[in-house]
Amino acid sequence: MGPAGTDPAAAEPVPPHGYSHHREDYLARLRRVEGQVRGLQRMVSDDKYCIDILTQVSAVTRALQSVALGLLEDHLSHCVADAAAEGGPVAEAKLREASAAIARLVRS
């Protein structure tokens, strides 16, 4: 990406992603997850009780799932909705992409 959100090849502004209006919230949540993971590393390093570590792993997993669901909701309400309004192959591609993302989340 070039300066000010432009694609140098197209020389036109790139539209914002669906999560753009929540970017700072997502970054804050991911920083908290990062801190939780560092805490997990300390717990393992300090030879803490297995169940306590597993409890924290579960908390980190839930936090990441929450971020993923928020991003998915933003993607569906912005990117997919815009593509559906446009119709045609773009809409079909966005719907396939969203379905694949949902399938990955369900499997994880």
Side-chain angles (χ1 to χ4, degrees):
M1 273 307 124
T6 60
D7 180 347
E12 292 181 24
V14 175
H17 295 289
Y19 66 85
S20 293
H21 58 287
H22 295 128
R23 180 178 297 138
E24 291 306 315
D25 293 336
Y26 286 124
L27 287 171
R29 291 164 79 181
L30 289 168
R31 283 187 206 96
R32 276 195 302 276
V33 169
E34 182 180 22
Q36 288 176 294
V37 171
R38 280 194 303 274
L40 278 167
Q41 291 170 336
R42 278 191 304 278
M43 290 177 80
V44 171
S45 180
D46 295 345
D47 203 27
K48 297 294 182 183
Y49 185 56
C50 303
I51 297 301
D52 293 340
I53 296 169
L54 289 171
T55 299
Q56 291 307 309
V57 167
S58 179
V60 171
T61 301
R62 283 191 310 273
L64 283 173
Q65 287 171 338
S66 176
V67 169
L69 289 173
L71 286 168
L72 179 62
E73 182 178 332
D74 286 342
H75 181 67
L76 291 172
S77 65
H78 181 268
C79 303
V80 175
D82 288 352
E86 183 178 326
V90 171
E92 292 172 18
K94 284 291 182 192
L95 288 171
R96 279 193 307 275
E97 179 184 63
S99 292
I102 292 167
R104 284 190 303 273
L105 286 173
V106 170
R107 285 192 299 266
S108 64

